[in-house]
């Protein structure tokens, strides 16, 4: 077992068909969406209706779907340089086990129906399934260049971000059989998020400083947008609760680009900190946590004002990267990409609760389970 330091207190606590998963997930027994009664139908058949006032209204504390109510509370950390996944108990921060997976695991991704966690073994050209109810890994499935993984909002397709292949590969969400290969005119496709009605999604291209707009239903490229910052390296993508703004973290611009998704037009740049990388929405939809990997800090962006309102600095530095918010909203979990460690951070005051030593190159960790009816992929983008 690997050691841990910096602990101050404890943290908070087989695939179904798309139709069955959506129906079961919608029956959340706890919590009520803030705007219940204003739900709109989606553009995609099979996609659950959405709340236009708050796309994250089903992500409140206590709103864990009954589909995964029995899932083990765990934090899964892919160690890209160690070819392992470290499994952490979030209740006391101790490491439960370190499992061997494929070569260069980049992200741990919840499936659309919430019943599987997929380890993206990028250079191993495979996906390793983990059963969240037992914590056990299954046999890997061959998939070429799975740097990252998303799911269309109707649950009909998995979308592999094949970064080196310069492709978006649409696959069956369970078997991973290829449905369509979409070549892309940019380098380093890696992160994405979907429009409120699911009709399109915006993708960041890390190595060419560009964004793509993709038609979800027709699986076609609608546009390419060049970022004005020289050498831009866009990373995580997240839509605002009201669906009006897409935020794109940029490690070179040291902040967030804002984009009008419908018009596919750049509207501004919000400075946050050196190496802006990961984006996470608070459980009350008021705040977005921005991990600034290059300076060891987290910026709190206020959605109401569109401006940063605070910054938390990790004591003794670090390299906060990718992660997620605990089910109760009290803890922000982030990997320390260049420090072989994981950070548990209080969302109340930014205090470091634990610094846990893991394998080399920890990257896209997943906190599980989390509230929400279904997963759009990455390390946990839930609606």
């Amino acid at each position: 077992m690997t050691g841990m330091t910096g602990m101050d207190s404890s943290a908070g606590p087989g695939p179904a068909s798309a139709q069955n998963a959506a129906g079961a997930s919608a029956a959340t027994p706890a919590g009520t969406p803030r705007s219940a009664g204003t739900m709109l139908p989606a553009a995609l058949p099979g996609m659950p209706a959405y709340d236009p006032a708050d796309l994250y209204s089903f992500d409140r504390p206590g709103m864990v779907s009954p589909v995964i109510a029995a899932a083990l509370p765990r934090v899964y950390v892919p160690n890209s340089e160690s070819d392992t996944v470290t499994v952490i108990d979030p209740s006391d921060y101790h490491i439960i086990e370190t499992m061997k997976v494929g070569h260069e695991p980049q992200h741990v991704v919840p499936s659309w129906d919430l019943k599987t966690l997929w380890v993206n073994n990028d250079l191993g050209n495979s996906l390793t399934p983990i059963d969240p109810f037992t914590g056990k890994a299954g046999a890997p499935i061959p998939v070429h260049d799975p740097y990252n993984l998303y799911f269309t909002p109707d649950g009909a397709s998995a979308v592999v971000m094949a970064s080196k292949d310069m492709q978006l590969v649409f696959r069956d969400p369970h078997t991973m059989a290829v449905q369509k290969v979409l070549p892309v005119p940019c380098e380093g496709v890696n992160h994405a998020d979907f429009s409120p009605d699911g009709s399109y999604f915006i993708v960041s291209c890390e190595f060419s400083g560009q964004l793509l707009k993709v038609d979800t239903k027709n699986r076609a490229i609608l546009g390419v947008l060049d970022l004005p910052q020289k050498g831009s390296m866009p990373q995580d993508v997240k839509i605002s609760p009201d669906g009006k703004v897409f935020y794109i973290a940029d490690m070179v611009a040291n902040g967030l680009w804002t984009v009008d998704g419908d018009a596919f037009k750049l509207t501004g740049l919000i400075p946050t900190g050196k190496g802006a990388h990961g984006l996470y929405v608070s459980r009350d939809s008021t705040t977005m946590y921005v991990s600034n990997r290059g300076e060891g800090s987290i910026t709190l962006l206020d959605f109401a004002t569109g401006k940063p309102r605070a910054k938390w600095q990790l004591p003794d530095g670090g390299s906060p990267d990718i992660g997620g918010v605990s089910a109760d909203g009290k803890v922000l979990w982030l990997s320390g990409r260049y420090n072989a460690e994981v950070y548990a951070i209080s969302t109340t005051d930014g205090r470091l609760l634990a610094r846990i030593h893991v394998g080399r190159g920890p990257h896209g960790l997943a906190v599980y389970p989390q509230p929400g009816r279904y997963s759009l992929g990455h390390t946990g983008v839930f609606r």
Side-chain angles (χ1 to χ4, degrees):
M1 182 178 296
T2 310
M4 50 190 171
T5 61
M7 183 184 298
D8 294 323
S9 66
S10 61
S17 69
Q19 182 177 359
N20 288 341
S25 297
T28 44
T32 301
R34 189 168 56 193
S35 309
T38 62
M39 306 295 286
L40 295 181
L44 301 175
M47 174 183 165
Y50 66 96
D51 178 354
D54 186 357
L55 300 178
Y56 305 103
S57 61
F58 286 92
D59 295 354
R60 299 287 184 262
M63 294 183 72
V64 172
S65 167
V67 171
I68 51 167
L72 299 171
R74 298 287 185 265
V75 176
Y76 297 89
V77 187
N79 303 302
S80 297
E81 297 174 25
S82 298
D83 296 342
T84 59
V85 170
T86 301
V87 184
I88 299 171
D89 186 333
S91 68
D92 60 8
Y93 312 112
H94 86 271
I95 292 175
I96 296 170
E97 67 172 313
T98 298
M99 61 178 68
K100 191 72 176 177
V101 293
H103 188 28
E104 198 172 280
Q106 295 286 0
H107 303 91
V108 175
V109 178
S111 63
W112 185 89
D113 66 4
L114 308 175
K115 293 185 176 183
T116 305
L117 299 172
W118 294 102
V119 183
N120 299 178
N121 305 312
D122 189 20
L123 296 186
N125 295 315
S126 67
L127 297 175
T128 299
I130 296 176
D131 184 333
F133 302 98
T134 66
K136 302 300 182 183
I141 296 178
V143 170
H144 199 266
D145 189 21
Y147 178 78
N148 207 348
L149 181 65
Y150 287 82
F151 295 90
T152 56
D154 57 2
S157 299
V159 186
V160 172
M161 300 285 161
S163 178
K164 295 180 182 64
D165 291 343
M166 296 179 63
Q167 296 173 343
L168 297 179
V169 184
F170 294 81
R171 293 176 175 267
D172 181 280
H174 305 306
T175 68
M176 295 298 162
V178 174
Q179 296 173 336
K180 179 176 180 177
V181 176
L182 178 63
V184 298
C186 67
E187 299 177 10
V189 287
N190 58 11
H191 298 88
D193 204 354
F194 290 80
S195 64
D197 66 358
S199 61
Y200 67 85
F201 57 102
I202 290 178
V203 181
S204 60
C205 301
E206 177 177 6
F207 301 124
S208 58
Q210 296 171 302
L211 304 176
L212 301 178
K213 184 176 180 179
V214 181
D215 184 310
T216 309
K217 182 178 180 179
N218 297 313
R219 302 170 184 179
I221 294 173
L222 297 172
V224 181
L225 183 63
D226 296 317
L227 296 175
Q229 172 76 39
K230 183 179 180 181
S232 273
M233 295 185 74
Q235 303 294 318
D236 207 357
V237 180
K238 197 70 83 238
I239 195 170
S240 61
D242 62 9
K244 295 179 179 179
V245 181
F246 280 84
Y247 295 93
I248 292 90
D250 190 326
M251 290 199 302
V252 172
N254 299 321
L256 309 180
W257 297 105
T258 56
V259 173
D260 179 328
D262 290 349
F264 201 38
K265 177 182 178 182
L266 198 66
T267 58
L269 176 65
I270 304 170
T272 62
K274 185 177 180 181
H277 196 88
L279 307 176
Y280 313 95
V281 178
S282 64
R283 291 276 170 240
D284 61 3
S285 300
T286 64
T287 304
M288 185 158 65
Y289 308 110
V290 183
S291 61
N292 302 307
R293 192 171 76 182
E295 65 178 36
S297 72
I298 294 90
T299 294
L300 278 65
L301 178 79
D302 189 309
F303 281 123
T305 65
K307 299 178 180 179
R309 72 165 188 271
K311 182 181 284 190
W312 298 332
Q313 192 73 43
L314 289 174
D316 303 317
S319 49
D321 196 295
I322 298 292
V325 180
S326 62
D328 62 9
K330 295 180 180 180
V331 181
L332 173 65
W333 288 86
L334 296 172
S335 59
R337 186 73 177 273
Y338 302 128
N339 299 81
E341 59 194 12
V342 165
Y343 315 111
I345 303 161
S346 167
T347 58
T348 301
D349 55 13
R351 182 166 50 97
L352 182 65
L353 302 173
R355 187 187 295 261
I356 306 166
H357 300 292
V358 293
R360 299 187 309 276
H363 193 197
L365 74 78
V367 180
Y368 213 69
Q370 290 190 43
R373 299 171 295 170
Y374 60 96
S375 165
L376 291 173
H378 192 33
T379 58
V381 180
F382 298 94
R383 295 282 193 273

